[in-house]
Amino acid sequence: MPRTAGSDFNALLALRYEGVCGNKGNSNRSSLAKKNSTKRNRNVNKIMKKDYVLATFKKCNYVAMEWSSRYWVKVFGQEDRPLELHLPCRDPLDHFLSMCNLRAVNFTCDGSWDHSIRPQIERCLGKWGGKIFAARFTSTKAFEHPNINLKCFHSPEGFNGYVDYMEARLRKKPVAREYVRHARKGLPRNKAKECLWKRKAQALLVQNFLVKKSLYSNYFQFCDKCLGSENDLLADNLLKK
């Protein structure tokens, strides 16, 4: 999911811990983390056609790949180890405005829904990127399998909390390398100038569209139900605050 720090998690964990496999970082190929942190791998689904993939991922303790739901089931459905799928979640409006910033869209709250608001939403979400993600996350039912459990956590707000969560479950490398988070693409955000935080009526319209009608609707609906539930990996951290 774009703008949830997924690439950062993959690269950081690959540099610090053993058994991390991903298209943005791999424990056994340290150079991959640096290479893929700036270059998008556009062929991640194609590697599933190769016979050695199933054997390769059996050696991994943490996998971060941009796959559709059916590939996760195909690779791990028959594994002898259960799989936890960790999905980073973010407040819908904040997430949306971050995507606007990524695509250099200065979202304005003026004008009608059909001629101003809706076209801006589509520009921020990205037509093709949204379709690709919708294909990956069709619904939670696509992940239903006795060997797969779908979990969630707040991101990027819970960045350090998630790293701590995984540290208790992964083996540290004898010599770990530090990971420096790169500056986000797009201009620095200035939330004080983002009109949706001040225009409640427009904010409600946009949020309803994101959650109920957009190509990301299944994702936002899942996050809404999951965060704060027993499937929220960092729920205990929030209760302690």
Side-chain angles (χ1 to χ4, degrees), residues 10 21-24 41 44-45 47 57 63-67 72:
N10 183 190
C21 307
N23 66 308
K24 300 296 176 67
N41 185 344
V44 291
N45 285 343
I47 67 173
F57 284 105
V63 177
M65 298 296 289
E66 297 173 350
W67 288 340
W72 288 103

Side-chain angles (χ1 to χ4, degrees), residues 123-221:
R123 287 172 58 200
C124 291
L125 295 182
K127 181 178 179 180
W128 296 111
K131 287 186 176 180
I132 291 172
F133 179 79
R136 290 178 185 157
F137 196 90
T138 53
S139 70
T140 56
K141 291 183 179 180
F143 294 96
E144 287 183 355
H145 191 279
N147 207 42
I148 297 177
N149 298 306
L150 199 55
K151 304 289 184 178
C152 65
F153 63 97
H154 272 288
S155 180
E157 295 87 347
F159 188 91
N160 292 330
Y162 181 71
V163 174
D164 291 342
Y165 177 89
M166 292 311 306
E167 182 172 0
R169 291 159 176 81
L170 296 173
R171 186 176 64 183
K172 287 186 177 181
K173 287 184 173 181
V175 179
R177 294 172 57 189
E178 287 300 315
Y179 176 70
V180 179
R181 295 181 69 181
H182 300 290
R184 302 291 84 193
K185 292 181 180 179
L187 298 173
R189 279 183 67 186
N190 186 344
K191 290 189 177 183
K193 294 184 178 181
E194 293 175 344
C195 64
L196 285 177
W197 303 118
K198 303 173 184 177
R199 306 278 289 273
K200 293 184 179 181
Q202 286 86 345
L204 183 60
L205 284 173
V206 172
Q207 179 154 323
N208 283 340
F209 177 81
L210 292 172
V211 175
K212 297 179 180 180
K213 297 182 180 180
S214 75
L215 291 171
Y216 296 90
S217 61
N218 288 321
Y219 164 75
F220 286 125
Q221 289 174 26

Side-chain angles (χ1 to χ4, degrees), residues 58-127:
K58 284 182 179 294
K59 303 175 183 178
C60 303
N61 295 318
Y62 184 95
V63 177
M65 298 296 289
E66 297 173 350
W67 288 340
S68 66
S69 54
R70 64 189 180 93
Y71 283 129
W72 288 103
V73 174
K74 178 179 178 180
V75 176
F76 297 102
Q78 303 303 318
E79 256 283 353
D80 55 0
R81 297 179 296 172
L83 171 71
E84 272 193 5
L85 270 177
H86 298 172
L87 193 68
C89 292
R90 191 170 180 175
D91 172 77
L93 279 183
D94 186 52
H95 200 165
F96 165 72
L97 290 170
S98 180
M99 287 193 275
C100 291
N101 175 257
L102 173 67
R103 295 181 170 86
V105 178
N106 182 22
F107 188 89
T108 62
C109 295
D110 298 321
S112 67
W113 172 262
D114 290 332
H115 295 95
S116 179
I117 305 297
R118 175 70 179 269
Q120 289 183 91
I121 293 176
E122 292 178 348
R123 287 172 58 200
C124 291
L125 295 182
K127 181 178 179 180

